[in-house]
Amino acid sequence: MPKNKGKGGKNRRRGKNENETEKRELVFKEDGQEYAQVTKMLGNGRLEAMCFDGVKRLCHIRGKLRKKVWINQGDIILIGLRDYQDAKADVILKYTPDEARNLKTYGEFPDTVRINDTVTFVDDGLDEDIEFGDDVSDEGEGDPVDNI
């Protein structure tokens, strides 16, 4: 059998992430692009995002970002709009929370956007009238195991 002379295989490279520490230049949207917030991860390299122009779109994570940049629910992303399909788009870039805060201070995002929080699409006030009481009586009922 041949001796291993290299420094390892793909698993050795998998643990490295060289570009995480260096600062990158802030990328603004151009025409044909839009900012969006991820609402739901669908799997198979797809996600559902609420764009800041008010349209919910099905987005495809392009190959350069797949398995390199992990996108989660609530993240701010830059998407490229399609000329021929308005309901679909492609993910171009994922913003870090610091970059998203900077974009919000520059006035690129609406004020209603929450950057750090995950997105919950239950309207506020729907579950306020639910009460859990401790007045459950089980005097007549016992464990059937105790009666044996």
Side-chain angles (χ1 to χ4, degrees):
M1 285 177 67
K3 299 254 184 188
N4 292 334
K5 296 181 180 174
K7 290 190 170 72
K10 66 178 179 180
N11 288 333
R12 179 183 153 272
R13 290 190 300 273
R14 187 174 288 168
K16 293 185 179 179
N17 196 359
E18 293 96 12
N19 60 356
E20 188 175 331
T21 57
E22 64 187 48
K23 275 239 194 250
R24 64 177 183 207
E25 189 174 329
L26 195 58
V27 179
F28 293 99
K29 73 172 183 177
E30 299 172 6
D31 54 336
Q33 296 177 348
E34 188 62 48
Y35 301 115
Q37 189 166 22
V38 179
T39 58
K40 188 192 294 184
M41 296 300 296
L42 300 174
N44 199 19
R46 297 178 182 272
L47 56 92
E48 192 174 84
M50 187 68 192
C51 301
F52 293 161
D53 59 357
V55 181
K56 189 177 282 192
R57 291 188 171 93
L58 177 72
C59 300
H60 179 261
I61 303 172
R62 65 194 207 124
K64 186 177 178 182
L65 299 180
R66 287 185 69 172
K67 296 193 176 179
K68 292 179 179 67
V69 178
W70 291 104
I71 300 176
N72 298 313
Q73 185 174 342
D75 287 342
I76 305 292
I77 55 175
L78 179 68
I79 61 170
L81 304 175
R82 296 182 180 178
D83 296 334
Y84 49 94
Q85 290 173 314
D86 190 46
K88 293 187 179 179
D90 301 297
V91 178
I92 297 173
L93 183 76
K94 174 193 167 188
Y95 290 109
T96 63
D98 290 336
E99 291 172 333
R101 271 195 236 52
N102 289 343
L103 284 171
K104 191 172 182 180
T105 56
Y106 291 146
E108 294 284 322
F109 297 165
D111 293 333
T112 57
V113 176
R114 299 163 78 187
I115 294 172
N116 291 341
D117 303 333
T118 56
V119 182
T120 56
F121 287 101
V122 177
D123 293 334
D124 293 335
L126 285 181
D127 56 352
E128 290 176 357
D129 57 347
I130 300 174
E131 294 182 13
F132 296 98
D134 294 333
D135 55 347
V136 177
S137 64
D138 50 322
E139 296 155 5
E141 304 171 15
D143 285 344
V145 177
D146 294 340
N147 296 335
I148 297 177

